[in-house]
Every structure is written in C-alpha cells, then in structure tokens.
Amino acid sequence: MPELNYGRIERITIVLALAGALVTFALTSIRDAGGFLMGALISLGSFRSWVKIAGMLGATEKPPGVASALFLAMRYPAIAVAVYVTIKLLGITPAALGVGLLVSFAAILVELVYGRVSSR
C-alpha cells in the first residue's frame, strides 16, 4: 500500500481548485466558479479534519472520547448547511458546488497515481 503525502495532497487540492474555478469561469459564469471554489474549500476542510482525526486516533491506545464522536457526528450537518446556504443565497448551480466537493478525492487519486509511477 503506497504511503500518502498529506501535504502534497493539500497542494494538489489547491491547484485543482484554482484550475477548476478558472475553467468553470471560462465556460459558465463567475457565480458558478465561486460555487466550485466554495465546494473545493469545503472538500479541503473535510480532508484536513479526517487527517486530524486519523492522527488523534493513531496517537493513543485508548478509545476516542465523546468530543471526537460529536465532531464526527456534527461535521456532515455543518457541511449540508454550508451547501444549502451557498446554493440558496448565492444562487450557485448545485452541479458546480458538487463537482467542487470532489476536488480532494481527485487530489488523492492524483497522489496515488504519482506514488505508483514514482516508485517504479
């Protein structure tokens, strides 16, 4: 199993977010580009929180506390509220925001391919 470089994944996410926002702006509108960028920022924040949670769980032998469980339980309603507000108040196309939410996933795939190619 390849080792993931979290710093590189974050940098790839930022590059993909900016490139995607520029492409979205060129093809549609500034509003959709902003929605894509907002989705990418939510995606990056979610990735960072998963890395932080994984680090906390791996650092200790005891089971996670109530605060960790509460954080895990409340993150998705918070993301849902951010998505709803972004779509309703700013009038952004849900597709642009949805594709932006996949940016961290795409960055992880790029990192996996990079790790596979560079290990040869």
Side-chain angles (χ1 to χ4, degrees):
M1 178 103 168
E3 190 72 25
L4 295 177
N5 182 328
Y6 299 125
R8 187 169 33 234
I9 291 172
E10 288 184 9
R11 290 189 300 273
I12 293 169
T13 300
I14 291 167
V15 168
L16 290 176
L18 294 174
L22 287 173
V23 169
T24 305
F25 175 65
L27 296 177
T28 59
S29 68
I30 186 92
R31 197 172 272 200
D32 286 341
F36 179 89
L37 202 53
M38 179 63 113
L41 290 175
I42 292 170
S43 178
L44 179 61
S46 179
F47 173 75
R48 285 182 174 174
S49 68
W50 276 114
V51 169
K52 184 176 179 181
I53 289 168
M56 288 182 346
L57 291 176
T60 179
E61 302 250 342
K62 65 179 185 171
V66 174
S68 296
L70 187 61
F71 177 73
L72 280 173
M74 294 308 297
R75 64 189 266 129
Y76 290 110
I79 290 172
V81 167
V83 167
Y84 179 81
V85 167
T86 302
I87 291 171
K88 287 296 182 184
L89 293 183
L90 300 178
I92 291 169
T93 307
L97 187 68
V99 173
L101 288 170
L102 297 172
V103 168
S104 287
F105 177 71
I108 292 170
L109 292 178
V110 168
E111 170 65 18
L112 287 170
V113 169
Y114 175 79
R116 182 79 170 164
V117 169
S118 67
S119 69
R120 290 185 179 188

